Amino acid sequence: MNTGDMKMEREANIERLIQTLKDEDELVQTQAMGLLEEIGEPAVDKLMVAADDDDKDIRRGSVRVLGIIADPAAVDVLIESLNDPNKWVRREASTALGNMGDPAVDPLIETLKNEDWRVRGGAAWALGKIANKKAVEPLIAAMDDESGFVRGGAAWALGNIGDERGIEPLKKALNDKSSYVRRVAEKFLDKLQ
């Protein structure tokens, strides 16, 4: 088999595995994700396309695998997936972006300005997982967001980053109208002080 044929066969296998992500059996889906992860970088382009598939399970699985592979080329696709109509795809996108590390920091900081609170919140949670101090000031600003989900994500992110600039905003959050935000702030203040 020549190189061109091998490449075509690999691409066909990647396509089959991506389609398997919508199998009704969760074990089959998990195995397909594992195989796609093993393929790694050669699967990234097809996974990025599949992140916009009509089937939510294909989108969710593709986004998850992109986060495991952590190829910076997927950052923009994952940011877009924070807008997905399915909450499980959005959660996977946030987790995947958190796995991307520093290449995702600037796009995520920009995403904190998105009009959708779910997107802003997903960005805050991802920034907290990355824990890059560059995000501290934008996360402090997010502590004043109208959405408790965003404020909770920003509080968790500030606490996880552990920068002293987050102490005063976390103290202020002890009086937040959301009990969740208050609990997160209290938990991290105990650790930071």
Side-chain angles (χ1 to χ4, degrees), residues 29 35 52 102 124 179-180 186:
Q29 291 176 9
L35 291 168
D52 194 34
D102 291 342
S179 63
Y180 178 74
E186 185 176 344

Side-chain angles (χ1 to χ4, degrees), residues 19 26 40 59 62 69 77 86 105 108 115-116 128 132 134 138 172 177 188:
Q19 289 306 307
E26 192 174 322
R59 294 193 313 270
S62 296
I69 295 171
V77 168
N86 183 278
V105 171
L108 284 166
E115 63 187 40
D116 188 328
N132 184 310
K134 184 177 188 177
K172 180 180 168 192
K177 61 186 171 187
F188 280 111

Side-chain angles (χ1 to χ4, degrees), residues 106-127:
D106 288 333
L108 284 166
I109 289 171
E110 188 61 33
T111 303
L112 288 172
K113 302 172 191 168
N114 190 287
E115 63 187 40
D116 188 328
W117 62 269
R118 296 171 301 188
V119 174
R120 295 190 308 273
W125 289 97
L127 284 165

Side-chain angles (χ1 to χ4, degrees), residues 11-187:
E11 289 183 10
N13 286 335
I14 292 168
E15 288 288 343
R16 279 193 293 278
L17 287 169
I18 288 172
Q19 289 306 307
T20 304
L21 296 173
K22 67 180 176 183
D23 193 281
E24 291 182 18
D25 186 334
E26 192 174 322
L27 178 61
V28 173
Q29 291 176 9
T30 301
Q31 289 173 334
M33 284 186 268
L35 291 168
L36 286 163
E37 177 187 349
E38 283 181 32
I39 292 168
E41 190 274 328
V44 168
D45 288 341
K46 292 196 178 297
L47 287 165
M48 289 192 304
V49 170
D52 194 34
D53 193 89
D54 289 338
D55 186 279
K56 67 178 173 38
D57 291 325
I58 289 177
R59 294 193 313 270
R60 183 180 55 83
S62 296
V63 165
R64 178 183 286 179
V65 175
L66 285 169
I68 293 167
I69 295 171
D71 186 324
V75 168
D76 290 341
V77 168
L78 293 172
I79 293 280
E80 187 57 38
S81 293
L82 290 173
N83 289 294
D84 196 274
N86 183 278
K87 74 177 181 178
W88 302 112
V89 175
R90 291 191 304 270
R91 285 184 184 183
E92 288 293 347
S94 179
T95 300
L97 284 159
N99 292 339
M100 290 289 170
D102 291 342
V105 171
D106 288 333
L108 284 166
I109 289 171
E110 188 61 33
T111 303
L112 288 172
K113 302 172 191 168
N114 190 287
E115 63 187 40
D116 188 328
W117 62 269
R118 296 171 301 188
V119 174
R120 295 190 308 273
W125 289 97
L127 284 165
K129 186 173 181 192
I130 295 169
N132 184 310
K133 292 184 185 233
K134 184 177 188 177
V136 169
E137 293 300 328
L139 287 165
I140 289 171
M143 291 292 294
D144 291 326
D145 196 278
E146 64 192 33
S147 166
F149 179 65
V150 177
R151 293 190 311 277
W156 182 85
L158 287 170
N160 199 51
I161 292 170
D163 188 280
E164 64 185 29
R165 293 174 288 172
I167 293 174
E168 286 306 313
L170 288 172
K171 283 182 180 177
K172 180 180 168 192
L174 293 173
N175 296 315
D176 194 276
K177 61 186 171 187
S178 164
S179 63
Y180 178 74
V181 175
R182 293 191 305 267
R183 283 193 311 272
V184 170
E186 185 176 344
K187 172 188 168 187

